[in-house]
Amino acid sequence: MDYGLRFSDPAKYARALRRAHELVISGVPRPEIPDVLADSWRRSMALGISPDQHSPRHLHDAAEVLELRREHRLQQVMPALDELLADSSSSGRHLLVLTDASGEILWRVGSPAVLRRADRLEFFEGADWSEAGIGTNAISEALVTGRPVQLFSAEHLVRTHHEWACTAAPITDPATGRLLGVLDVSGPLDTLTADTLRMVRCAVRVAESLLVAPDGGKPAGAPSPVRASRQSPRRQSGRPAAAVESLELLGDRPAAVFRDGSRVPLTLRRAEILALLDSRHQGWSAEELAYELHGDAGTPVAIRTEMFRVRSLLGEAVESNPYRLAAGLAGSSDSGRVLRLLREGRVSDALQAYRAPLLSRSGVLSVQLLRDQLDLAVGSAVRSSGDAGLLVRWLSTDMGASDFAAVEALGQLVGRGDPRYLAFLASCGG
């Protein structure tokens, strides 16, 4: 069976799997079906699970699940997992699920549409998704093998699950190695990508790193996970992340500046994201940012992972759904200050503030366009000023050094025999 079809032609691959599934459960061996999967099907049927079974075993009702959540150690990491992997927007197509160590679902997050679809399978809180509860699925296989697992279409035992693709990985206690639960991302077949397994593994590593924290025990009276995930993360120092005062995006050493005067360096990727957020007040979806930063190869899941890290550093200075700078930070970057000064007609002050190109090391096209727009705005204002001194200052910067129109404007003001004009003309190749 051609595994590559799973991503290139999921419908064709699903049809081939279904044919193999029918033969194997009828007792006909199929060499292309891995032994570990066929063995799981046989174990499930020996436990009384039928491929035609619809309902999983139900262990607790909704009120009891709420109590189980409050007492569970994974309560403290659910907000981070929600931030990293969930998509509860109206267009969201996958489901985030977190179970306990037995496979009982304690949390799930998704759009109304995908939740309704999951409800038809009774894939909800309190349901037992172990082999004994509903047969072979990604959660049950993660429990059995102790490893990350992907199951696609008819790799599930139960036929009503054949329209789903599921990726699951166990979460263990870093101190003891004890299994705490399973993280699962599920959705229609075409929601599975080559990055899904990598992102689930990454999210598990984040969860396990959070469990190492001194307050890694169960939180008494913790807020609900979805509400908590929308609350502001805190900086590692313990100081509220709302203390961000400005962003330094000009030059090659981007940083966030806090109100106490401290300066925290930013990676280039995070600075690129913040430059895009700073450029648009209405904000960006994860899909839009993925395309702007990575083109067609970008994935919203990768953006959510990076945005989790950005918000862990800056907290409530960055809002989500859509991603944008909070009102207190919007326009407070050094590049934003340049534009604000230009709008106020303070061209000399804007030129003074424009100390270096926007993220000079970035090769991302959307950032390059923002850089060019800033150059154009400053250059146009300087050329229109009719001030020879401003033109000389502009042409002396890296950003204005190749502005031939500014050289010509200077020549008209000081005369074409002026040494300043001739020097800048030579440097422009004139």
Side-chain angles (χ1 to χ4, degrees):
M1 193 172 297
D2 185 357
Y3 181 84
L5 290 175
R6 175 175 288 195
F7 304 113
S8 63
D9 193 341
K12 181 176 181 180
Y13 186 68
R15 288 194 297 271
L17 275 175
R18 291 184 186 115
R19 288 194 294 269
H21 174 276
E22 295 305 317
L23 290 169
V24 173
I25 64 174
S26 300
V28 179
R30 297 287 293 184
E32 67 269 29
I33 298 298
D35 288 342
V36 64
L37 182 61
D39 289 345
S40 177
W41 291 347
R42 296 185 189 100
R43 282 197 308 271
S44 300
M45 289 188 287
L47 290 167
I49 306 297
S50 165
D52 294 316
Q53 180 171 337
H54 176 70
S55 299
R57 182 168 60 187
H58 292 271
L59 303 178
H60 296 94
D61 62 25
E64 292 170 327
V65 169
L66 290 176
E67 289 299 319
L68 292 173
R69 288 178 180 176
R70 294 190 186 101
E71 297 298 318
H72 204 285
R73 282 199 65 194
L74 293 181
Q75 168 84 358
Q76 76 174 96
V77 304
M78 183 58 197
L81 296 175
D82 182 14
E83 187 73 38
L84 282 168
L85 293 178
D87 186 357
S88 55
S89 67
S90 59
S91 60
R93 302 191 62 231
H94 69 262
L95 190 69
L96 168 65
V97 169
L98 192 60
T99 79
D100 66 8
S102 70
E104 179 180 1
I105 298 174
L106 297 186
W107 290 274
R108 66 172 192 163
V109 184
S111 68
V114 78
L115 288 173
R116 287 193 297 271
R117 189 165 180 171
D119 286 345
R120 292 196 288 270
L121 301 177
E122 300 181 32
F123 191 27
F124 47 57
E125 295 89 337
D128 178 7
W129 233 252
S130 68
E131 277 188 356
I134 193 57
T136 306
N137 64 88
I139 293 170
S140 73
E141 288 302 282
L143 291 171
V144 170
T145 66
R147 297 191 302 271
V149 176
Q150 274 189 326
L151 256 67
F152 184 86
S153 184
E155 291 172 339
H156 296 86
L157 174 67
V158 175
R159 293 187 177 94
T160 52
H161 300 171
H162 289 184
E163 297 301 320
W164 284 77
C166 304
T167 304
I171 302 175
T172 58
D173 186 329
T176 65
R178 181 173 63 90
L179 178 67
L180 296 176
V182 173
L183 171 65
D184 174 82
V185 172
S186 296
L189 300 182
D190 60 357
T191 62
L192 187 72
T193 72
D195 286 329
T196 306
L197 184 59
R198 179 176 62 84
M199 297 313 303
V200 168
R201 283 173 166 157
C202 177
V204 166
R205 288 197 296 271
V206 170
E208 291 178 346
S209 68
L210 292 174
L211 291 168
V212 177
D215 59 349
K218 56 189 178 186
S224 76
V226 173
R227 287 202 310 272
S229 71
R230 304 304 176 209
Q231 295 172 353
S232 305
R234 299 178 70 88
R235 295 178 60 206
Q236 291 179 350
S237 64
R239 180 173 53 209
V244 179
E245 184 171 70
S246 64
L247 299 171
E248 295 179 356
L249 302 177
L250 298 178
D252 59 1
R253 297 180 63 197
V257 179
F258 291 80
R259 291 184 187 137
D260 63 2
S262 61
R263 181 180 180 277
V264 178
L266 297 168
T267 65
L268 180 58
R269 174 60 77 218
R270 293 171 198 173
E272 289 166 340
I273 289 173
L274 291 169
L276 290 173
L277 299 187
D278 194 41
S279 72
R280 196 159 90 175
H281 293 300
Q282 69 265 35
W284 301 77
S285 68
E287 290 78 6
E288 290 173 322
L289 286 175
Y291 182 79
E292 293 294 330
L293 293 169
H294 303 287
D296 291 333
T299 63
V301 174
I303 292 298
R304 293 187 188 101
T305 300
E306 195 60 57
M307 288 306 302
F308 172 77
R309 295 168 181 148
V310 170
R311 298 187 75 224
S312 295
L313 177 67
L314 303 185
E316 61 192 31
V318 177
E319 298 176 350
S320 59
N321 294 326
Y323 294 117
R324 59 187 170 189
L325 297 181
L329 191 60
S332 68
S333 66
D334 47 6
S335 56
R337 181 170 181 267
V338 172
L339 292 173
R340 185 170 64 254
L341 291 169
L342 289 177
R343 288 192 293 269
E344 294 171 358
R346 299 164 60 186
V347 180
S348 179
D349 291 338
L351 188 54
Q352 179 69 30
Y354 193 28
R355 57 182 177 79
L358 175 68
L359 297 180
S360 54
R361 290 189 295 114
S362 176
V364 171
L365 178 59
S366 55
V367 175
Q368 290 176 339
L369 292 174
L370 292 176
R371 187 187 303 144
D372 292 344
Q373 290 168 9
L374 193 55
D375 282 350
L376 180 61
V378 175
S380 297
V382 171
R383 292 192 300 271
S384 300
S385 69
D387 187 322
L390 287 182
L391 283 164
V392 169
R393 286 170 54 194
W394 169 240
L395 289 166
S396 300
T397 66
D398 290 341
M399 298 79 73
S402 60
D403 188 346
F404 184 74
V407 174
E408 289 300 298
L410 178 64
Q412 291 174 6
L413 288 172
V414 302
R416 299 191 181 277
D418 188 285
R420 292 170 295 178
Y421 167 73
L422 294 173
F424 289 124
L425 182 64
S427 65
C428 280

